[in-house]
Amino acid sequence: MDFVLLLSPHNLLYQLPVNNIPATTTATVLPAPPPHSCAPKKHQTKQGKDQAYIKKPPNAFMLYLKEQRPKVKAQLNISDSAAVNAAVGERWKSLSKKEQKIYFSESV
């Protein structure tokens, strides 16, 4: 069975069988995308493959998360990492600017 790709006025792409296209439809036929076109690209440094990748330093929240994760996990008895991250995030939001400033100064 042959398919045709239709581009809607809202830039949405539809794939329909050729025999199901209404006669009143004016369609722009696009070529099929290449297989695996959405595959994530591997990270490469700008210098090339021979250079080692240098990680960015952690930001203030990441420092706070690293410090608080074991405490929150033990206090709330949660093993799910998403739930732990959400709890630490709420605690980060509840910190005063003065308390957050400690972590911002460490991150620089």
Side-chain angles (χ1 to χ4, degrees), residues 37-52:
S37 63
C38 295
K41 295 181 180 179
K42 291 184 180 180
H43 181 75
Q44 293 181 4
T45 60
K46 291 180 182 177
Q47 294 85 11
K49 293 182 180 179
D50 297 335
Q51 298 289 329

Side-chain angles (χ1 to χ4, degrees), residues 71-106:
K71 295 176 185 177
V72 171
K73 197 172 180 179
Q75 284 176 352
L76 302 178
N77 197 18
I78 302 174
S79 61
D80 181 35
S81 64
V84 174
N85 291 346
V88 174
E90 290 300 317
R91 290 183 183 196
W92 172 257
K93 290 176 188 176
S94 69
L95 288 179
S96 67
K97 295 294 180 188
K98 185 178 179 181
E99 291 170 319
Q100 286 184 359
K101 189 175 180 179
I102 297 167
Y103 296 98
F104 279 108
S105 64
E106 288 179 24

